[in-house]
Amino acid sequence: MIDRRSAGILVHPTSLPGPYGIGDIGPAAYEFLDFLKITGAGLWQILPLGPTGYGNSPYAELSSFAGNPLLISPDLLREEGLLLDSDLADIPGFPLERVDFDLLIPWKEDLLRRAAGRFSKAPEAVRDDFKRFLDTESWWLEDYVLYDGLRRHFLRGEAGPEPWEADIRLRKAAAVKKWRSILKDQLETGRIIQYLFFRQWRRLKSYAAECGVEIIGDVPIFVAPDSADVWTWPDNFLLKQDGKPEAVAGVPPDYFSETGQMWGNPLYSWEYMKSDDYSWWKRRIDAVLRRVDWIRIDHFRGFQAYWRIPGDAETAMEGEWIEAPGKEFFANLLASRGDLPVIAEDLGVITEEVDNLRREFSFPGMRVLQFAFEFDKDGRFNGDHQFLPHNYEANTVVYTGTHDNDTTAGWYSSCDDTVKDVIRRYLARDDHDIVWDFIRLALSSNAGFALIPLQDILVLGTEHRMNTPSTVGPANWSFRFRKEQLTSIAAERLKDMLELYGRARTIREGSGGLV
């Protein structure tokens, strides 16, 4: 439950500036935390941190427990002697305002292999820390590095992609032993790369705490079909005998799609999970909370009821709602952990039952200003809309928009004149500064937390949005900003608003909190 007023910025580390083709958790991340500290912002919301697969989406992680190697900082590796100046002497011509994944991935992976190859020469204290990492994380790490090695072997062979051999696809013990031997060197490289990620992340997380910044992470409710989770723990999922999904997740027609969204994620076997005391979920939640301070559970409504789509369906319209054991599940988690710093993503088709589930456990819900200015079926403006700020309760997180929305500038430009007129009257402002008017509206609201996408802080247009749901393409997940865009003027303006509306750390009262 949110018991204070705070605010921050939503931006994924991949969007940070730098010369290496993608934002990472090196110097630019520390500079961004300095920016938050200067403004008095106390929150940094990120997207999932796991390694990505098809489409480069952080919501299609190859593992719920591993870190994304693309986020490892070459600069920090060079400081530790794991990379040489010569390794970074010939950087490809990466674009500065987007991630070119096709150009980036082979270059970055080669760089990380070089760093891993020098790890045996790292200081003894670092190698001892690596051994402790292996002891603590081996329960997921060994299966992940094997899965990753198998993907590379079968998907990137000289003759092109080929199907996995049946025995290893179904995790037969003899096949697992055989491939651990075949891929021995690759597995060790994978272990080292994962260690390097978590070592850098721990350091960054510690610096965030020094700056008084809490990190909000993200937990997608479902996992990708192409993931070490499904391969390693198949009993947790509804799968056919050949390992393919019996049914997949998605949502019915909604704001984002007239035919709904068919995500393709395998659904959970809640019956099995209950018999196993939800052990996989507990480990997953614990792992994320070691990385961040809060977790936003994406598609929270799926814990009350989920949209079950047959595995052979053509569109999400063929699905049906199936009740989920959310009440029992969260009660179990709370009983074993005492507290859950959870934000419930309760957007989309939200029923009274979903809202009751969220309220029973005092999880704050989300409100998005771009969704607030709607009209009823008779064409009248709906002043009772739950996303309008005058209707908020304190245990709420307000956003101007999310990673799935257009930027506020882009969204407003696409609104028709009737909607624009209502917005101007609601704000009692003209629209010459509409983006910052929306930022002010979020910060001045009664919501406990207010999160602003960085694109809105920078007043960027549609071409800089992070993702367009139900689409796959190079524009998605590729947004980056340049260092010079994050100006002192933006910092001062944000700082002034945070202080004015009681959200700055430096003026927050009370004991036990960050000041």
Side-chain angles (χ1 to χ4, degrees):
M1 184 172 184
I2 297 174
D3 60 358
R4 65 185 186 278
R5 288 176 68 77
S6 190
I9 292 178
L10 165 61
V11 64
H12 199 45
T14 57
S15 298
L16 296 171
Y20 305 119
I22 191 171
D24 58 44
I25 52 180
Y30 289 81
E31 292 174 5
F32 180 69
L33 285 168
D34 290 338
F35 175 87
L36 293 177
K37 182 179 180 179
I38 290 170
T39 65
L43 302 170
W44 177 12
Q45 181 171 333
I46 60 176
L47 308 182
L49 289 172
T52 58
Y54 175 71
N56 305 302
S57 169
Y59 293 89
E61 300 173 294
L62 297 177
S63 167
S64 295
F65 303 96
N68 187 349
L70 297 179
L71 290 173
I72 296 173
S73 166
D75 286 324
L76 298 185
L77 294 180
R78 178 166 52 183
E79 285 181 10
E80 296 181 323
L82 296 178
L83 288 178
L84 307 178
D85 289 345
S86 58
D87 295 320
L88 302 175
D90 189 19
I91 302 172
F94 293 121
L96 296 178
E97 294 188 343
R98 66 181 182 88
V99 182
D100 183 338
F101 286 100
D102 289 339
L103 182 61
L104 166 74
I105 290 174
W107 179 82
K108 188 73 175 270
E109 289 183 345
D110 177 66
L111 204 66
L112 294 176
R113 283 192 292 268
R114 296 188 203 183
R118 297 188 180 104
F119 189 75
S120 63
K121 299 178 181 179
E124 184 177 357
V126 174
R127 286 182 280 117
D128 287 343
D129 188 47
F130 174 57
K131 293 176 183 177
R132 288 190 293 271
F133 172 77
L134 296 181
D135 290 340
T136 303
E137 308 296 335
S138 61
W139 63 270
W140 65 265
L141 179 64
E142 291 307 308
D143 288 305
Y144 167 70
V145 295
L146 177 57
Y147 183 82
D148 184 54
L150 290 165
R151 286 184 82 252
R152 294 171 186 279
H153 177 85
F154 287 110
L155 297 181
R156 299 184 182 181
E158 293 182 3
E162 57 183 291
W164 288 33
E165 295 176 3
D167 283 356
I168 191 60
R169 178 167 52 82
L170 297 175
R171 279 186 62 85
K172 298 294 180 66
V176 169
K177 182 178 180 180
K178 165 189 166 183
W179 283 101
R180 286 196 192 281
S181 177
I182 293 173
L183 301 175
K184 179 181 178 180
D185 292 341
Q186 293 183 43
L187 303 191
E188 182 64 7
T189 297
R191 295 183 190 103
I192 293 170
I193 289 173
Q194 282 300 302
Y195 168 73
L196 294 175
F197 169 86
F198 282 105
R199 186 164 186 262
Q200 290 190 2
W201 182 258
R202 289 198 306 266
R203 177 178 164 185
L204 182 67
K205 177 66 170 57
S206 178
Y207 187 73
E210 292 176 15
C211 293
V213 175
E214 294 174 285
I215 297 178
I216 302 175
D218 206 314
V219 174
I221 182 175
F222 298 115
V223 303
D226 177 13
S227 68
D229 302 271
V230 176
W231 183 69
T232 304
W233 299 287
D235 290 341
N236 286 297
F237 305 92
L238 294 178
L239 305 175
K240 299 177 183 178
Q241 287 188 344
D242 62 1
K244 296 180 179 179
E246 177 183 313
V248 297
V251 290
D254 61 6
Y255 175 89
F256 294 111
S257 174
E258 293 182 356
T259 60
Q261 300 178 49
M262 188 159 64
W263 299 331
N265 310 82
L267 294 172
Y268 295 120
S269 174
W270 283 111
E271 182 178 354
Y272 174 82
M273 285 184 158
K274 178 181 178 180
S275 71
D276 193 41
D277 197 32
Y278 305 106
S279 63
W280 178 85
W281 262 109
K282 289 179 178 178
R283 284 181 159 184
R284 186 185 190 194
I285 295 293
D286 288 347
V288 177
L289 284 176
R290 287 195 294 271
R291 306 178 198 174
V292 301
D293 302 288
W294 288 79
I295 54 176
R296 188 196 79 121
I297 295 185
D298 193 56
H299 196 60
F300 175 81
R301 72 104 56 243
F303 286 103
Q304 189 279 319
Y306 53 89
W307 191 246
R308 185 187 192 278
I309 307 168
D312 57 356
E314 294 187 2
T315 74
M317 297 178 70
E318 299 178 45
E320 61 177 334
W321 288 113
I322 303 295
E323 188 173 350
K327 182 177 179 179
E328 178 182 330
F329 169 68
F330 285 115
N332 187 302
L333 288 183
L334 283 167
S336 60
R337 276 140 187 80
D339 182 38
L340 281 177
V342 162
I343 296 168
E345 187 268 289
D346 54 347
L347 307 176
V349 182
I350 301 302
T351 63
E352 183 178 353
E353 291 80 7
V354 177
D355 199 45
N356 288 341
L357 177 64
R358 179 184 65 79
R359 291 179 181 278
E360 178 162 352
F361 297 99
S362 298
F363 297 149
M366 289 175 54
R367 299 292 179 262
V368 180
L369 291 179
Q370 289 186 23
F371 295 158
F373 297 92
E374 295 184 349
F375 293 76
D376 62 25
K377 61 182 179 180
D378 297 321
R380 293 174 299 189
F381 175 60
N382 181 12
D384 294 328
H385 198 291
Q386 62 176 340
F387 284 13
L388 287 168
H390 64 264
N391 295 318
Y392 295 170
E393 59 185 38
N395 193 34
T396 296
V397 184
V398 60
Y399 296 76
T400 51
T402 74
H403 63 276
D404 280 334
N405 292 100
D406 198 347
T407 67
T408 295
W411 167 79
Y412 184 79
S413 68
S414 70
C415 292
D416 62 35
D417 290 341
T418 303
V419 175
K420 288 181 178 178
D421 178 65
V422 168
I423 292 172
R424 288 191 294 263
R425 288 191 288 122
Y426 189 88
L427 294 170
R429 306 269 291 179
D430 61 26
D431 57 8
H432 82 281
D433 196 19
I434 191 65
V435 176
W436 275 91
D437 287 339
F438 262 67
I439 293 172
R440 181 185 299 274
L441 187 61
L443 297 177
S444 65
S445 76
N446 193 45
F449 285 178
L451 276 302
I452 314 299
L454 183 69
Q455 291 93 321
D456 287 351
I457 298 292
L458 304 181
V459 195
L460 299 177
T462 296
E463 66 274 18
H464 297 284
R465 70 182 293 170
M466 188 61 159
N467 179 50
T468 302
S470 298
T471 68
V472 176
N476 288 343
W477 316 113
S478 65
F479 164 70
R480 297 185 73 199
F481 68 97
R482 300 188 313 276
K483 180 178 180 178
E484 61 268 22
Q485 289 178 286
L486 208 57
T487 65
S488 59
I489 295 174
E492 285 299 318
R493 194 170 192 187
L494 181 59
K495 180 177 184 291
D496 179 65
M497 283 194 185
L498 294 181
E499 292 176 350
L500 185 63
Y501 297 116
R503 294 188 184 273
R505 293 186 318 277
T506 54
I507 65 171
R508 178 151 48 84
E509 299 178 353
S511 61
L514 296 170
V515 295

